[in-house]
Amino acid sequence: MYGFIKKILFRFPPESIHHSVMRGLKVVNALPFGRNVLDAFCQPKTNGLERKLWGLTFSNPVGLAAGFDKDARYIDELAHLGFGFVEIGTVTPLPQPGNDQPRLFRLPEDQALINRMGFNNEGVRAAAKRLQKRRSNIIVGGNIGKNKLTPNEDAVSDYEKCFHALFDGVDYFVVNVSSPNTPGLRALQEKEPLKQLLHHLQTLNSQKSKPKPILLKIAPDLTNEQLDDIIEIVQDTGLAGIVATNTTISREGLSTPAAELEKIGMGGLSGLPVKSRATEVIRYIHKGSGGNIPIIAVGGIFTTADAQEKLDAGASLVQVYTGFIYEGPTIVKKICQGLSLQS
């Protein structure tokens, strides 16, 4: 069924059809028995998939990665699609339009996407207000970043503003310094600026009556030496974990013609081409930390086998994004059913 629907959806520009579909989901959710229909089709009917981590209980280990619901508009609706958790954002202190459109591209031959969205969002205050109104008790993560015009030397202030604004509305935080679409952002992954940023956030966190888990999202393009630094920094700052990985700037091994890639231009690549590298990074961090750093895996997860690969490599939870686009709204149900059979 979704294969046919996908052919129709893929005839429209990716960004516009995304908003149309999500508005449609909101309408269905508001209809009498609409939520029951969504639950019947999409909710996993499996037991034993709960995960307890950071004092939180995840109904299942499959979450939705940041970037899909940037402004926390659809949390209640997404909860009925079976996700064990949803990560909003990336949000920034001030609203910003992001990069010029078009900025989201499909690569069907590679089951991939390229995006250069540029942290388009309505600002952290708008997201915080929506979080106050949500009805679902699904676990929500807050992915935070800096505004494009904020120089790196002032980046700490931007992350601090987002941290305070979202604190009461989310269950955990993810510090995003790994998007390739904000100029200079990845420089914050360097050892000293990253250590300074994370120490500051952890200090703020420790001053709260109930501190919340703070994780770091990293790029798949880091060298082993850089990953060693990440492990050291996470352990030194007492961070709760790592999200591995963000999109890649690599274009190696793609089936999409080079001319088409050149026409698309810059942006982060996600989907199946990232799967192997993301797993390598997860395995390296898990081994290098002695298994002491919890990892949320993201990158090329389409099937149960993909999810199991990440879990076997050392991940505690997984997230989907591009796989959700290509596989459709029953992806969580299918992955969870497969994981239940294997457990």
Side-chain angles (χ1 to χ4, degrees):
M1 173 71 78
Y2 183 69
F4 173 73
I5 295 173
K6 183 171 69 174
K7 289 181 180 179
I8 298 173
L9 297 178
F10 276 28
R11 291 179 178 271
F12 296 90
E15 190 170 352
S16 62
I17 199 65
H18 166 80
H19 293 300
S20 297
V21 168
M22 294 311 295
R23 284 193 294 268
L25 178 63
K26 210 170 186 68
V27 170
V28 171
N29 192 65
L31 293 173
F33 305 110
R35 281 168 284 188
N36 302 77
V37 172
L38 291 174
D39 288 343
F41 277 98
C42 303
Q43 288 285 359
K45 306 295 192 296
T46 50
N47 297 317
L49 289 181
E50 282 190 355
R51 298 291 192 275
K52 294 184 183 296
L53 198 61
W54 310 306
L56 302 172
T57 301
F58 298 79
S59 60
N60 69 67
V62 184
L64 181 63
F68 195 91
D69 187 14
K70 290 176 177 290
D71 293 306
R73 289 180 173 275
Y74 306 110
I75 292 173
D76 291 334
E77 290 75 22
L78 290 166
H80 289 284
L81 298 187
F83 290 104
F85 59 109
V86 171
E87 193 171 305
I88 67 159
T90 298
V91 296
T92 56
L94 299 175
Q96 61 182 27
N99 295 321
D100 294 338
Q101 298 188 38
R103 54 193 179 183
L104 180 61
F105 309 87
R106 305 184 191 98
L107 277 58
E109 294 178 51
D110 294 291
Q111 290 192 275
L113 298 172
I114 290 176
N115 92 81
R116 53 169 175 271
M117 305 299 287
F119 288 175
N120 58 305
N121 72 109
E122 296 179 355
V124 70
R125 291 183 183 277
K129 287 181 180 178
R130 292 194 181 99
L131 288 168
Q132 291 174 356
K133 298 177 181 178
R134 69 184 176 102
R135 298 176 180 176
S136 168
N137 62 357
I138 190 171
I139 290 174
V140 176
N143 189 300
I144 58 177
K146 79 173 188 72
N147 282 112
K148 180 179 180 179
L149 296 181
T150 301
N152 279 6
E153 54 266 29
D154 297 329
V156 170
S157 176
D158 274 16
Y159 287 93
E160 176 178 339
K161 291 172 184 174
C162 291
F163 176 79
H164 285 308
L166 288 184
F167 190 86
D168 292 333
V170 301
D171 299 290
Y172 71 90
F173 285 93
V174 176
V175 178
N176 189 352
V177 292
S178 54
S179 170
N181 300 316
T182 295
L185 183 73
R186 284 191 170 191
L188 294 175
Q189 289 182 122
E190 296 300 324
K191 191 171 183 177
E192 290 310 314
L194 183 58
K195 189 181 293 188
Q196 179 187 356
L197 169 61
L198 297 179
H199 267 305
H200 183 71
L201 290 176
Q202 283 290 63
T203 298
L204 297 176
N205 200 26
S206 67
Q207 294 168 357
K208 301 288 187 179
S209 59
K210 292 183 178 180
K212 295 188 175 177
I214 300 178
L215 290 79
L216 174 68
K217 189 165 188 175
I218 62 172
D221 309 307
L222 299 176
T223 65
N224 286 347
E225 291 75 14
Q226 289 172 313
L227 291 175
D228 289 336
D229 286 342
I230 294 292
I231 293 170
E232 179 187 330
I233 291 167
V234 169
Q235 293 176 331
D236 181 56
T237 58
L239 225 59
I242 290 174
V243 180
T245 63
N246 213 318
T247 57
T248 179
I249 57 175
S250 172
R251 299 292 187 267
E252 290 184 13
L254 296 180
S255 298
T256 302
E260 185 174 342
L261 293 173
E262 186 176 347
K263 183 179 179 181
I264 290 173
M266 302 295 289
L269 174 72
S270 63
L272 280 186
V274 188
K275 183 174 79 166
S276 295
R277 178 55 185 163
T279 302
E280 288 174 4
V281 170
I282 292 161
R283 187 175 292 115
Y284 189 92
I285 292 171
H286 182 70
K287 183 178 180 180
S289 67
N292 292 321
I293 296 178
I295 301 169
I296 297 179
V298 56
I301 299 172
F302 286 60
T303 66
T304 296
D306 298 332
Q308 190 64 59
E309 176 182 290
K310 297 292 193 287
L311 296 172
D312 290 343
S316 300
L317 303 167
V318 301
Q319 291 178 327
V320 298
Y321 183 108
T322 305
F324 184 34
I325 304 297
Y326 279 88
E327 296 295 315
T330 59
I331 184 172
V332 178
K333 183 177 183 179
K334 290 176 181 177
I335 290 176
C336 287
Q337 286 176 335
L339 291 176
S340 180
L341 291 173
Q342 294 179 23
S343 62

